[in-house]
Amino acid sequence: MICTCLWRKQRKSSRFLDETIAWYERHYDLDRKPIKRVGGKGDFSIPNKYVSEGRYYVGEAGGLQDFMWGFGMRYAITSGVLAGKSILGELDYEQEVRKRLLPLVKSSATNRFLMNRMGDRGFKAVAKYWMRDQHRTGDGLRFMRLIYKPGILRRMMWPFVRLGMLRKGTTPDGRSYVRMPFRRALKRDDWEPSREAELVALEWKMKQNEGGRTSFQAGD
Ligand SMILES: Cc1cc2nc3c(=O)[nH]c(=O)nc-3n(C[C@H](O)[C@H](O)[C@H](O)COP(=O)(O)OP(=O)(O)OC[C@H]3O[C@@H](n4cnc5c(N)ncnc54)[C@H](O)[C@@H]3O)c2cc1C
């Protein structure tokens, strides 16, 4: 499986996958057969309720994911277990999510807010420090634990993060949320595809004519 992730709104999003496949073909000896293209749109949001009208919102459906890296498997499993326990009457899902998961999600959003302000150079400096710390202590998670700790400083920053980075909205079932808006495309997102990527696109078009399916709107 070959994937590509886009972080800004893009025209003709499938050209990025064509280019990624072409890159892999240039660098590796692939025995590749196009079968299907799957994809989706990620969304970073924090709802005001995790249980509504008898529905339990777990994992990404509840906005439970890391705003920095998009990781959400642990959140999905943990919230799924908590929802199960809540249904069995062992705990209160809403309360547990707010106590155990929401502070981490907010920390991750605060880290994203800070990183957006630091720019590429700042991010590289932090990444280098993280690598050095891992080398020195033999524990790569130590630094991560430190920057994810929902301490007083991060809690004080939260109103600024909310105001500066998140936008309000309402779900079709009437729950309100704050979410991170998609960033607009940049000038540099307009480029000409490579010859190899054009061939990959052509190959996929032929596959589509034979019934190859795409599970999402490619935006073109
Ligand atoms: C390319 C990529 C790489 C990632 N890498 C990592 C990583 O390294 N580490 C990490 O922690 N996280 C990673 N993530 C994020 C992680 O995959 C998700 O956060 C996690 O899978 C969310 O789990 P979930 O159960 O909430 O949702 P999903 O895994 O999206 O599951 C939702 C399921 O519901 C189904 N569904 C949707 N609508 C309906 C419906 N109406 N009826 C029935 N079924 C429906 C969907 O088909 C899907 O199977 C990655 C995500 C992507 C896209």
Coordinates of all heavy atoms in Angstrom, one line a residue, residues 84-137:
G84 N -17.4 1.0 26.3 CA -18.0 -0.3 26.6 C -18.2 -0.5 28.1 O -19.3 -0.9 28.6
K85 N -17.3 0.0 29.0 CA -17.4 -0.1 30.4 C -18.6 0.8 30.9 O -19.3 0.4 31.8 CB -16.2 0.4 31.1 CG -15.1 -0.7 31.0 CD -13.9 -0.3 31.9 CE -12.9 -1.5 31.9 NZ -11.9 -1.4 32.9
S86 N -18.8 1.9 30.2 CA -19.8 2.8 30.6 C -21.2 2.2 30.3 O -22.1 2.3 31.1 CB -19.7 4.2 29.8 OG -20.7 5.0 30.1
I87 N -21.3 1.5 29.1 CA -22.5 0.9 28.8 C -22.9 -0.3 29.8 O -24.0 -0.5 30.2 CB -22.4 0.3 27.3 CG1 -22.4 1.5 26.3 CG2 -23.6 -0.6 27.0 CD1 -22.0 1.1 24.9
L88 N -21.8 -0.9 30.3 CA -22.0 -1.9 31.4 C -22.2 -1.3 32.7 O -22.4 -2.0 33.7 CB -20.7 -2.8 31.4 CG -20.5 -3.7 30.2 CD1 -19.2 -4.4 30.3 CD2 -21.6 -4.7 30.0
G89 N -22.2 0.0 32.8 CA -22.5 0.7 34.1 C -21.4 0.8 35.0 O -21.5 1.1 36.2
E90 N -20.1 0.6 34.5 CA -19.0 0.6 35.4 C -18.4 2.0 35.6 O -17.6 2.2 36.5 CB -17.9 -0.4 34.9 CG -18.3 -1.8 34.9 CD -17.3 -2.7 34.3 OE1 -16.1 -2.3 34.2 OE2 -17.7 -3.8 33.9
L91 N -18.7 2.9 34.7 CA -18.1 4.2 34.8 C -19.0 5.2 34.0 O -19.9 4.8 33.2 CB -16.7 4.3 34.4 CG -16.3 3.7 33.1 CD1 -16.5 4.6 31.9 CD2 -14.8 3.3 33.1
D92 N -18.7 6.5 34.1 CA -19.4 7.5 33.3 C -18.5 7.9 32.1 O -17.4 8.5 32.3 CB -19.7 8.7 34.2 CG -20.5 9.8 33.5 OD1 -20.2 10.0 32.3 OD2 -21.4 10.4 34.1
Y93 N -18.9 7.6 30.9 CA -18.0 7.8 29.7 C -17.6 9.3 29.6 O -16.4 9.6 29.4 CB -18.7 7.3 28.4 CG -17.9 7.5 27.2 CD1 -16.7 6.8 27.0 CD2 -18.2 8.4 26.2 CE1 -15.9 6.9 25.9 CE2 -17.5 8.5 25.1 CZ -16.3 7.8 24.9 OH -15.5 8.0 23.8
E94 N -18.6 10.2 29.7 CA -18.4 11.6 29.5 C -17.3 12.1 30.5 O -16.3 12.7 30.1 CB -19.7 12.3 29.7 CG -19.7 13.8 29.4 CD -19.8 14.2 27.9 OE1 -20.6 13.6 27.2 OE2 -19.0 15.0 27.5
Q95 N -17.5 11.7 31.7 CA -16.6 12.1 32.8 C -15.1 11.6 32.6 O -14.2 12.3 32.7 CB -17.0 11.6 34.1 CG -17.7 12.6 35.0 CD -18.2 12.0 36.3 OE1 -17.6 11.0 36.8 NE2 -19.2 12.5 36.8
E96 N -15.1 10.3 32.2 CA -13.8 9.6 32.1 C -13.0 10.3 30.9 O -11.8 10.5 31.0 CB -13.9 8.1 31.8 CG -14.3 7.4 33.0 CD -13.3 7.5 34.2 OE1 -12.1 7.3 33.9 OE2 -13.7 7.8 35.3
V97 N -13.7 10.5 29.8 CA -13.0 11.1 28.6 C -12.5 12.5 29.0 O -11.4 12.8 28.7 CB -14.0 11.2 27.4 CG1 -13.4 12.0 26.3 CG2 -14.3 9.8 26.9
R98 N -13.3 13.3 29.7 CA -12.9 14.6 30.1 C -11.7 14.6 31.0 O -10.8 15.4 31.0 CB -14.0 15.4 30.8 CG -15.1 15.7 29.8 CD -16.2 16.6 30.3 NE -17.1 16.8 29.2 CZ -16.9 17.6 28.2 NH1 -15.8 18.4 28.2 NH2 -17.7 17.7 27.2
K99 N -11.7 13.5 31.9 CA -10.6 13.4 32.9 C -9.3 12.8 32.3 O -8.2 13.3 32.5 CB -11.1 12.5 34.0 CG -10.2 12.6 35.3 CD -10.8 11.9 36.5 CE -10.6 10.4 36.3 NZ -11.3 9.6 37.3
R100 N -9.5 11.8 31.5 CA -8.3 11.0 31.0 C -7.8 11.4 29.6 O -6.6 11.3 29.4 CB -8.6 9.5 31.1 CG -8.7 9.0 32.5 CD -9.3 7.7 32.6 NE -8.4 6.7 31.9 CZ -8.6 5.4 32.1 NH1 -9.5 4.9 32.9 NH2 -7.8 4.5 31.4
L101 N -8.7 11.7 28.7 CA -8.2 11.9 27.3 C -8.2 13.4 26.9 O -7.3 13.8 26.2 CB -9.1 11.1 26.4 CG -9.2 9.6 26.7 CD1 -10.1 8.9 25.7 CD2 -7.8 8.9 26.7
L102 N -9.3 14.1 27.3 CA -9.3 15.5 26.8 C -8.1 16.3 27.2 O -7.6 17.1 26.3 CB -10.6 16.1 27.3 CG -11.0 17.5 26.8 CD1 -11.0 17.5 25.2 CD2 -12.2 18.1 27.4
P103 N -7.6 16.2 28.4 CA -6.4 17.0 28.7 C -5.2 16.8 27.7 O -4.5 17.7 27.4 CB -6.0 16.6 30.1 CG -7.3 16.1 30.7 CD -8.0 15.5 29.6
L104 N -5.1 15.5 27.3 CA -4.0 15.2 26.4 C -4.3 15.7 25.0 O -3.4 16.2 24.3 CB -3.8 13.6 26.3 CG -3.3 13.0 27.5 CD1 -3.4 11.5 27.4 CD2 -1.8 13.4 27.8
V105 N -5.6 15.7 24.6 CA -5.9 16.2 23.3 C -5.6 17.7 23.3 O -5.1 18.3 22.4 CB -7.4 16.0 22.9 CG1 -7.8 16.7 21.7 CG2 -7.7 14.5 22.8
K106 N -6.0 18.4 24.4 CA -5.8 19.8 24.5 C -4.3 20.2 24.5 O -3.8 21.1 23.9 CB -6.4 20.4 25.8 CG -7.9 20.6 25.7 CD -8.4 21.2 27.0 CE -9.9 21.5 26.9 NZ -10.4 22.1 28.1
S107 N -3.5 19.3 25.2 CA -2.0 19.5 25.2 C -1.5 19.4 23.8 O -0.6 20.2 23.3 CB -1.3 18.4 26.0 OG -1.3 18.8 27.3
S108 N -2.0 18.4 23.0 CA -1.5 18.2 21.7 C -1.9 19.4 20.8 O -1.1 19.9 20.0 CB -2.1 16.9 21.0 OG -3.4 17.0 20.7
A109 N -3.1 20.0 21.0 CA -3.6 21.2 20.3 C -2.7 22.4 20.6 O -2.3 23.2 19.7 CB -5.0 21.5 20.5
T110 N -2.3 22.5 21.9 CA -1.4 23.6 22.3 C -0.1 23.4 21.7 O 0.5 24.4 21.2 CB -1.3 23.6 23.9 OG1 -2.6 23.6 24.4 CG2 -0.6 24.8 24.4
N111 N 0.4 22.2 21.6 CA 1.7 21.9 20.9 C 1.7 22.3 19.5 O 2.6 22.9 18.9 CB 2.1 20.5 21.1 CG 2.5 20.2 22.5 OD1 2.8 21.0 23.3 ND2 2.5 18.9 22.9
R112 N 0.5 22.0 18.8 CA 0.4 22.3 17.4 C 0.4 23.9 17.2 O 1.0 24.4 16.3 CB -0.9 21.7 16.9 CG -1.6 22.3 15.7 CD -0.8 22.1 14.4 NE -0.5 20.8 14.1 CZ 0.3 20.4 13.0 NH1 0.8 21.4 12.3 NH2 0.6 19.2 12.8
F113 N -0.3 24.5 18.2 CA -0.4 26.0 18.1 C 1.0 26.6 18.2 O 1.4 27.5 17.5 CB -1.3 26.5 19.3 CG -1.4 28.0 19.4 CD1 -2.2 28.7 18.6 CD2 -0.7 28.6 20.4 CE1 -2.4 30.0 18.7 CE2 -0.8 30.0 20.6 CZ -1.7 30.7 19.7
L114 N 1.8 26.0 19.2 CA 3.2 26.6 19.4 C 4.0 26.3 18.1 O 4.8 27.1 17.7 CB 3.8 25.9 20.6 CG 3.2 26.3 21.9 CD1 3.7 25.5 23.1 CD2 3.4 27.8 22.2
M115 N 3.8 25.0 17.6 CA 4.7 24.6 16.4 C 4.4 25.5 15.2 O 5.3 25.9 14.5 CB 4.4 23.2 16.1 CG 5.5 22.6 15.2 SD 5.2 20.9 14.8 CE 4.2 21.2 13.4
N116 N 3.1 25.8 15.0 CA 2.7 26.7 13.9 C 3.4 28.0 14.0 O 3.7 28.7 13.0 CB 1.2 26.9 13.9 CG 0.4 25.7 13.5 OD1 1.0 24.7 13.0 ND2 -0.9 25.8 13.6
R117 N 3.6 28.5 15.3 CA 4.3 29.8 15.5 C 5.8 29.7 15.3 O 6.5 30.6 15.0 CB 3.9 30.3 16.8 CG 2.9 31.4 16.7 CD 1.7 31.2 17.6 NE 0.5 31.8 16.9 CZ -0.3 31.1 16.2 NH1 -0.1 29.8 16.0 NH2 -1.3 31.7 15.6
M118 N 6.3 28.5 15.6 CA 7.8 28.3 15.6 C 8.3 28.3 14.2 O 9.5 28.5 13.9 CB 8.2 27.0 16.3 CG 8.3 27.1 17.8 SD 9.1 25.7 18.5 CE 8.1 24.4 18.0
G119 N 7.5 27.8 13.2 CA 7.9 27.6 11.9 C 8.8 26.4 11.7 O 9.1 25.7 12.7
D120 N 9.3 26.2 10.5 CA 10.1 25.0 10.1 C 11.4 25.0 10.9 O 11.8 23.9 11.4 CB 10.4 25.0 8.6 CG 9.2 24.6 7.8 OD1 8.2 24.2 8.5 OD2 9.3 24.7 6.6
R121 N 12.1 26.2 11.1 CA 13.3 26.2 11.8 C 13.2 25.8 13.2 O 14.0 25.0 13.7 CB 13.9 27.6 11.7 CG 14.8 27.8 10.5 CD 15.8 28.9 10.8 NE 16.2 29.4 9.6 CZ 16.6 30.7 9.4 NH1 16.7 31.4 10.5 NH2 17.0 31.1 8.3
G122 N 12.2 26.3 13.9 CA 11.9 26.0 15.3 C 11.6 24.6 15.4 O 12.1 23.9 16.4
F123 N 10.8 24.0 14.5 CA 10.4 22.6 14.6 C 11.7 21.7 14.4 O 11.8 20.8 15.2 CB 9.4 22.3 13.5 CG 9.0 20.8 13.5 CD1 8.2 20.3 14.5 CD2 9.4 20.0 12.5 CE1 7.9 19.0 14.6 CE2 9.1 18.6 12.5 CZ 8.3 18.1 13.5
K124 N 12.6 22.1 13.5 CA 13.8 21.3 13.3 C 14.6 21.3 14.6 O 15.2 20.3 15.0 CB 14.6 21.9 12.1 CG 14.2 21.2 10.8 CD 15.0 21.7 9.7 CE 14.3 21.4 8.4 NZ 14.8 22.2 7.3
A125 N 14.7 22.5 15.2 CA 15.5 22.7 16.4 C 14.9 21.8 17.5 O 15.7 21.1 18.2 CB 15.5 24.1 16.9
V126 N 13.6 21.7 17.7 CA 13.0 20.9 18.7 C 13.2 19.4 18.4 O 13.6 18.6 19.3 CB 11.5 21.2 18.8 CG1 10.8 20.2 19.7 CG2 11.2 22.6 19.3
A127 N 13.1 19.1 17.1 CA 13.3 17.7 16.7 C 14.7 17.2 17.0 O 15.0 16.1 17.5 CB 13.0 17.5 15.2
K128 N 15.7 18.1 16.7 CA 17.1 17.8 17.0 C 17.3 17.6 18.5 O 18.0 16.7 18.9 CB 18.0 19.0 16.5 CG 18.4 18.8 15.0 CD 19.4 19.8 14.6 CE 19.6 19.7 13.1 NZ 20.2 20.9 12.6
Y129 N 16.7 18.5 19.3 CA 16.9 18.4 20.7 C 16.3 17.0 21.2 O 16.9 16.3 22.0 CB 16.1 19.5 21.5 CG 16.2 19.4 22.9 CD1 17.3 19.9 23.6 CD2 15.2 18.8 23.7 CE1 17.4 19.7 25.0 CE2 15.3 18.6 25.0 CZ 16.4 19.1 25.7 OH 16.5 18.9 27.1
W130 N 15.1 16.7 20.6 CA 14.5 15.4 21.0 C 15.4 14.2 20.7 O 15.6 13.3 21.5 CB 13.2 15.3 20.2 CG 12.4 14.0 20.4 CD1 12.5 13.2 21.5 CD2 11.4 13.5 19.6 NE1 11.6 12.1 21.3 CE2 10.9 12.3 20.2 CE3 10.8 13.9 18.4 CZ2 9.9 11.5 19.6 CZ3 9.8 13.2 17.8 CH2 9.4 12.0 18.4
M131 N 16.1 14.3 19.5 CA 17.0 13.2 19.1 C 18.2 13.1 20.0 O 18.6 12.0 20.4 CB 17.5 13.4 17.6 CG 16.5 13.3 16.5 SD 15.8 11.6 16.5 CE 14.2 11.8 16.9
R132 N 18.7 14.3 20.4 CA 19.9 14.3 21.3 C 19.5 13.7 22.7 O 20.2 12.9 23.3 CB 20.4 15.7 21.5 CG 21.3 16.2 20.4 CD 22.2 17.3 20.8 NE 21.5 18.5 21.3 CZ 21.0 19.4 20.5 NH1 21.3 19.4 19.2 NH2 20.4 20.5 20.9
D133 N 18.3 14.1 23.1 CA 17.8 13.7 24.4 C 17.6 12.1 24.4 O 18.0 11.4 25.4 CB 16.4 14.3 24.7 CG 16.0 14.1 26.1 OD1 16.6 14.5 27.1 OD2 14.9 13.4 26.3
Q134 N 17.1 11.6 23.3 CA 16.9 10.2 23.2 C 18.2 9.5 23.2 O 18.4 8.4 23.8 CB 16.2 9.9 21.9 CG 16.0 8.4 21.6 CD 15.0 8.2 20.4 OE1 14.5 9.1 19.9 NE2 14.8 6.9 20.1
H135 N 19.2 10.1 22.5 CA 20.6 9.5 22.4 C 21.2 9.4 23.8 O 21.8 8.4 24.2 CB 21.4 10.3 21.5 CG 22.7 9.6 21.1 ND1 22.7 8.5 20.4 CD2 24.0 10.0 21.4 CE1 23.9 8.1 20.2 NE2 24.7 9.0 20.8
R136 N 21.0 10.5 24.6 CA 21.6 10.7 25.9 C 21.0 9.8 26.9 O 21.6 9.1 27.7 CB 21.5 12.2 26.3 CG 22.3 12.6 27.5 CD 22.4 14.1 27.5 NE 21.1 14.8 27.3 CZ 20.2 15.0 28.2 NH1 20.4 14.7 29.4 NH2 19.1 15.6 27.8
T137 N 19.6 9.7 26.9 CA 18.9 9.0 28.0 C 18.5 7.6 27.6 O 18.1 6.8 28.4 CB 17.7 9.7 28.4 OG1 16.8 9.8 27.3 CG2 18.0 11.1 28.9

